[in-house]
Amino acid sequence: MSSANNHKRNTLEDEFQRRLFDAEARPAPDLWARIDHDLTVQENKDYKKRALFYRQLAAACFVLFALTGALLAYYYSGSLNQPGAQPGIAAAPATKSAAAPATVEEAMQAYATQQEEAAAMAYTYTEETATTKQATNARGTNQDGRTATAKVIKLNDGPQAGDYYNVSPGYSSYLGYTPMPGRSRGYVSGGFPGNAAGGAQGNLFAPHGNRYIQIITWESVTITFGNSAPATGQQFPVGSQSLAARPKSFAEMSEAQQASRQQAQQSVEAAQSKLAAQQPKTVEAATKSNSRWSLNLAYVPSVFEQNIGLPDPLSMPKNSANRFSLAAAGPSVNASKESFQNISAARDEFEESTQPAYSYAVEAKAGFKLKKKLKLLTGIGYSESKSRSRSNFIVRQFWTKPRSNERYELSPTTYFTSALNDGFSSDSVSVARTGDSFDTEYKYRHLTVPVGLQYEHDINKDWFVYAAAGVAANFLLESSVTASNQEVQSVNYTADDYDSPFRNVQFSGNGSVGVGKRISSNLTLALGPEVRHYFNTLVADPDKAAAPQGKPYAIGMNMSLNYQLGNSRK
Amino acid sequence: MKLFTKPKSDEDKLIEGCIAGKRDMQRLLYDLYSRKMMAVCMRYAPTSFEAEDMMQEGFVKVFANIQNFKRDCPLEFWVRRIMINTALKQLRQKSLMTVSHETEEVSNIASEGVILTGYSMDELLSMIQSLAPRYRMVFNLYAIEGYNHKEIGEMLGISEGTSKSQYSRARAILQGMLERQEKSYQEHVISQ
């Protein structure tokens, strides 16, 4: 019977099965010794894989700590060099268009002329000026950038009305925001406008309680003298963040980092010494054949919601001493009924027209496989978050000459910019409707240090699904509010601007799920939606801002390319 | 605290000892199954040297993966299955799975009434080892291990029909061998 279709068991099959199924044969005597050797090698290999894993984990932790430590050191060392700097509290914007400063300078010069008329009047050096010198010198010694200010005042033997001098950028509690980019000059003024007693006497620095002298600055921190002024270093008394705590926390962090680094080094050395005593060649082979490391490049286009509103003119900000409202307690606020209506209209318009703009983030990360499906990812990235709105309204600020009561207008700003602080204390403020509507773009650029976990599950040979979650430290590189109208001042803060109202370090959490495709044995492409939510508001101190603040977030599409070093799959 | 715990069998103790990596337990398991597994490997390998290599690799796999043994069948079956898979892998690696052209004549004699009692185990193994690798594989899996052609097709990556045809050919070759052996034996008896 030789039919190809014959597949029924027959006598032949039964006979073979009966004779051979339980048959026994004697193996070679040395076969167990060979198996024993193989098992020993296998066990050593497993041990070395585990040792290698812990070595690589220690190395990854060390790199992460070193990177984080370096960034924190960079950030805090920058802050320590500016003891008077109070991030986020500053009034507002630092830069403006090139044509704008001339108006203010002319105003100042005109005022200086007026003051020169009173120059003949005797100037009495008082105790207040002595105090002023002390205060100024104290600031000057702590601030490199402001030493020039102190020196000028000292050389003049006390500030005098009408004097110009060099100052560094900052904030004026009297003028509020008085921007003038490219300038670092200040001006000394004296007396309350309309103060007959002081004006008649011509003694601007007389030691009366209602007298004061003030250094008016462009982009500057104001140094204020007199009884009514806050003490030195307490220009923003409410909620000011003490910088004294920073060196302490940094020292603690440095110690912790040092300790963790030593531990990591010790564990690495211990692992190395153990491994050196055993088969190093096997370790090399294991390293080459099954790498836990991978490289990951991610691009995340997204829409960004900055979550900042505009203040309700009828609402009462928390800090009642300074508020941006019609009832503001500044020197004077010229709030007409029309201005009030415009504020309400500007607010409604902002809420309606503000929309997320194209934003993106790019990240380069190193991946370390913790388990078969779980991966730790960390690296560095860059994000650019944008939002935009359309407006018909601008904020106009006026300053009044103390003696002549002549008003000078500062550069118009957007309502948004003005609302980032509540120390809006120029002599008068109004919100005006412009002829043409203009666009405003809000842009925030961050350097990011992400750390996250990614879980991957195979669907089949080529496809997999993933879920990822992590946190990131976002270091603000630049923030800007750019208006398309040439007349409206645009503002731009860099990482070194200590008068920036925006938070310099921002932490965020992100989550993503999606699918991935294996392009080759080492290369995978993953795609999926990603949500990134910031843990804090963009503005450093939301309680001091007139505008309501929320936590920003971004929703995007994560596209990442992953390259597995060594063998792709274990 | 469990009041009624099932007492552990010797096999359970043996398995747990192997999972723990105890070398004496591994040696015990090897001693228990090495003779049977050697016979299995010899059926799949063309020579005894290759059978030993196959068995060595198979036992290393057994000890490396014994924690995955679900205990839903006797341990011997599981060890045997690993040996067979190792044989399949080795043969696949050596690219011996291609069908060679048999030069032997295929017997047309029906196999009913075949009695193998007169043959020693070495003779039977020698006959199987002389088959082409794929024929040998299919014959072993079907006739001795008891797999059906569908399962064999899945194991070897061939169709069920191919498995059937290859088995029929292997079977015919073995019948021819047995027939020739029978003829030569009869001639030897007549001449005496």
Side-chain angles (χ1 to χ4, degrees):
Chain A
M1 190 176 94
S2 62
S3 169
N5 294 324
N6 179 16
H7 53 85
K8 291 179 182 174
R9 294 189 69 83
N10 217 320
T11 312
L12 181 73
E13 287 82 6
D14 291 339
E15 279 291 311
F16 267 102
Q17 191 175 41
R18 187 178 61 80
R19 293 290 306 277
L20 293 177
F21 187 80
D22 284 325
E24 293 184 355
R26 185 186 292 273
D30 66 334
L31 190 56
W32 169 250
R34 285 153 59 186
I35 293 169
D36 188 23
H37 177 262
D38 281 357
L39 290 172
T40 306
V41 171
Q42 184 76 35
E43 285 166 1
N44 285 339
K45 200 182 285 182
D46 290 344
Y47 171 78
K48 283 169 189 81
K49 274 183 189 173
R50 283 200 301 273
L52 191 67
F53 168 76
Y54 289 119
R55 278 178 65 191
Q56 290 179 334
L57 189 62
C61 290
F62 174 73
V63 169
L64 187 63
F65 281 128
L67 191 64
T68 310
L71 285 167
L72 285 170
Y74 172 76
Y75 170 65
Y76 282 103
S77 64
S79 297
L80 289 173
N81 290 335
Q82 301 289 337
Q86 307 204 14
I89 302 174
T95 60
K96 60 170 290 190
S97 60
T103 309
V104 180
E105 191 170 24
E106 285 170 8
M108 294 302 178
Q109 285 174 351
Y111 182 61
T113 308
Q114 286 187 344
Q115 294 298 311
E116 284 171 3
E117 294 173 4
M121 299 178 182
Y123 169 68
T124 305
Y125 189 79
T126 64
E127 289 179 5
E128 282 186 6
T129 55
T131 308
T132 302
K133 281 173 64 179
Q134 288 174 1
T136 310
N137 287 334
R139 292 179 65 88
T141 52
N142 290 332
Q143 290 177 258
D144 294 337
R146 294 179 179 119
T147 307
T149 308
K151 284 179 180 175
V152 170
I153 295 170
K154 190 175 182 180
L155 286 173
N156 291 341
D157 199 18
Q160 296 184 24
D163 284 353
Y164 284 97
Y165 61 94
N166 295 325
V167 293
S168 57
Y171 170 81
S172 162
S173 62
Y174 177 62
L175 267 187
Y177 164 62
T178 53
M180 189 167 286
R183 309 272 176 174
S184 57
R185 300 184 65 196
Y187 182 73
V188 179
S189 67
F192 275 127
N195 187 328
Q201 290 174 3
N203 183 359
L204 303 178
F205 307 104
H208 300 298
N210 59 348
R211 299 286 179 82
Y212 68 95
I213 55 172
Q214 186 176 43
I215 300 171
I216 302 167
T217 62
W218 297 272
E219 314 173 41
S220 69
V221 173
T222 301
I223 304 168
T224 307
F225 311 90
N227 296 344
S228 60
T232 306
Q234 294 180 348
Q235 191 174 344
F236 308 99
V238 179
S240 295
Q241 185 183 357
S242 172
L243 288 174
R246 286 189 175 172
K248 186 183 174 185
S249 60
F250 174 62
E252 288 171 355
M253 281 186 291
S254 299
E255 287 173 6
Q257 185 196 349
Q258 188 74 18
S260 63
R261 188 184 301 166
Q262 284 176 352
Q263 282 181 352
Q265 283 177 342
Q266 284 172 358
S267 62
V268 168
E269 285 170 4
Q272 281 176 341
S273 61
K274 280 183 182 176
L275 288 170
Q278 296 171 5
Q279 302 172 359
K281 289 179 182 176
T282 317
V283 175
E284 287 175 14
T287 311
K288 286 177 183 173
S289 60
N290 287 315
S291 173
R292 289 175 176 271
W293 290 95
S294 60
L295 299 175
N296 183 282
L297 290 174
Y299 171 65
V300 188
S302 60
V303 289
F304 173 73
E305 172 57 57
Q306 61 180 348
N307 227 341
I308 298 177
L310 286 185
D312 185 347
L314 297 177
S315 69
M316 297 293 288
K318 293 176 184 175
N319 182 5
S320 59
N322 286 314
R323 71 182 70 130
F324 180 71
S325 71
L326 295 177
S332 67
V333 173
N334 181 13
S336 64
K337 184 180 178 183
E338 183 185 357
S339 187
F340 175 82
Q341 290 171 343
N342 285 343
I343 288 174
S344 298
R347 183 168 176 268
D348 295 339
E349 182 189 63
F350 182 81
E351 286 178 358
E352 288 172 6
S353 68
T354 301
Q355 56 187 4
Y358 167 74
S359 306
Y360 69 92
V362 287
E363 290 174 346
K365 292 180 280 194
F368 182 76
K369 195 182 281 183
L370 296 172
K371 288 187 175 180
K372 191 177 179 183
K373 295 180 177 180
L374 193 65
K375 195 191 292 180
L376 174 70
L377 288 165
T378 185
I380 197 161
Y382 168 83
S383 70
E384 189 169 293
S385 307
K386 289 181 190 170
S387 184
R388 67 163 60 97
S389 66
R390 192 164 186 81
S391 178
N392 285 292
F393 298 93
I394 56 172
V395 173
R396 302 174 68 189
Q397 302 174 69
F398 298 93
W399 182 74
T400 307
K401 286 197 233 173
R403 291 196 168 277
S404 63
N405 283 337
E406 187 180 349
R407 293 176 67 194
Y408 290 93
E409 183 181 356
L410 306 180
S411 299
T413 64
T414 59
Y415 191 13
F416 177 87
T417 304
S418 306
L420 289 178
N421 69 93
D422 65 342
F424 201 77
S425 53
S426 53
D427 289 348
S428 65
V429 178
S430 70
V431 176
R433 182 182 287 274
T434 58
D436 298 323
S437 60
F438 61 93
D439 292 322
T440 308
E441 184 182 77
Y442 314 93
K443 186 166 73 174
Y444 310 93
R445 294 169 54 218
H446 284 101
L447 179 72
T448 62
V449 182
V451 183
L453 291 170
Q454 182 164 311
Y455 178 83
E456 292 178 359
H457 180 72
D458 289 348
I459 301 173
N460 56 36
K461 188 183 172 186
D462 292 330
W463 293 88
F464 63 91
V465 291
Y466 77 92
V471 293
N474 304 278
F475 298 86
L476 185 67
L477 296 175
E478 185 185 10
S479 54
S480 64
V481 181
T482 309
S484 62
N485 189 335
Q486 294 292 328
E487 295 178 1
V488 179
Q489 173 197 339
S490 296
V491 295
N492 182 53
Y493 299 104
T494 62
D496 299 329
D497 285 335
Y498 291 95
D499 56 344
S500 167
F502 297 107
R503 199 179 295 275
N504 283 339
V505 181
Q506 172 80 282
F507 291 94
S508 63
N510 65 292
S512 177
V513 291
V515 294
K517 168 104 172 63
R518 290 192 175 83
I519 298 169
S520 69
S521 59
N522 289 67
L523 199 63
T524 58
L525 179 67
L527 185 73
E530 180 179 300
V531 176
R532 186 180 299 252
H533 196 280
Y534 292 82
F535 297 152
N536 298 104
T537 58
L538 279 172
V539 172
D541 196 342
D543 291 342
K544 290 180 181 291
Q549 304 287 320
K551 295 171 184 175
Y553 61 88
I555 299 172
M557 184 61 72
N558 180 24
M559 292 178 270
S560 64
L561 207 57
N562 191 78
Y563 182 79
Q564 182 72 39
L565 298 175
N567 281 358
S568 60
R569 298 179 68 185
K570 196 176 167 187
Chain B
M1 181 182 170
K2 292 180 181 176
L3 294 175
F4 302 101
T5 53
K6 188 181 173 183
K8 287 181 181 176
S9 65
D10 290 342
E11 189 176 282
D12 288 338
K13 290 176 185 173
L14 183 66
I15 292 166
E16 286 172 9
C18 290
I19 290 171
K22 292 179 180 172
R23 194 51 51 87
D24 54 341
M25 289 294 175
Q26 291 172 340
R27 178 64 196 259
L28 199 61
L29 190 145
Y30 171 80
D31 289 342
L32 199 61
Y33 298 121
S34 61
R35 287 172 171 267
K36 280 189 178 178
M37 295 310 129
M38 187 65 197
V40 170
C41 291
M42 285 184 73
R43 280 194 279 113
Y44 288 93
T47 65
S48 59
F49 294 110
E50 289 184 54
E52 284 180 357
D53 286 346
M54 204 177 279
M55 187 165 145
Q56 182 182 344
E57 188 182 337
F59 266 106
V60 171
K61 279 185 185 175
V62 165
F63 295 131
N65 296 285
I66 197 165
Q67 71 273 12
N68 298 327
F69 174 53
K70 293 185 172 62
R71 308 184 194 195
D72 51 357
C73 65
L75 181 61
E76 184 187 333
F77 289 177
W78 185 73
V79 174
R80 181 187 287 263
R81 180 61 196 254
I82 287 182
M83 294 297 166
I84 293 168
N85 286 340
T86 307
L88 283 171
K89 185 188 164 194
Q90 284 199 2
L91 292 173
R92 205 176 286 129
Q93 282 175 345
K94 292 174 182 174
S95 303
L96 296 175
M97 296 299 285
T98 52
V99 179
S100 60
H101 296 285
E102 294 291 334
T103 53
E104 293 182 64
E105 290 179 7
V106 176
S107 170
N108 288 324
I109 300 170
S111 62
E112 277 73 16
V114 172
I115 302 297
L116 301 176
T117 48
Y119 296 94
S120 68
M121 197 194 76
D122 287 343
E123 285 174 329
L124 293 176
L125 279 175
S126 177
M127 284 183 208
I128 292 172
Q129 284 177 337
S130 67
L131 289 171
R134 179 163 284 188
Y135 292 164
R136 183 170 65 238
M137 189 65 67
V138 173
F139 182 82
N140 269 316
L141 292 172
Y142 183 81
I144 300 172
E145 310 294 351
Y147 291 102
N148 61 40
H149 286 295
K150 190 180 178 183
E151 291 169 330
I152 294 168
E154 287 171 358
M155 290 166 76
L156 299 179
I158 57 177
S159 69
E160 188 178 345
T162 306
S163 176
K164 285 178 184 175
S165 65
Q166 289 185 355
Y167 175 73
S168 295
R169 191 163 179 83
R171 190 173 188 273
I173 291 167
L174 280 174
Q175 281 176 347
M177 289 180 191
L178 290 169
E179 190 181 347
R180 281 195 294 277
Q181 290 273 354
E182 188 68 24
K183 270 185 182 176
S184 64
Y185 176 74
Q186 285 175 358
E187 286 171 4
H188 178 70
V189 170
I190 290 168
S191 65
Q192 283 183 345

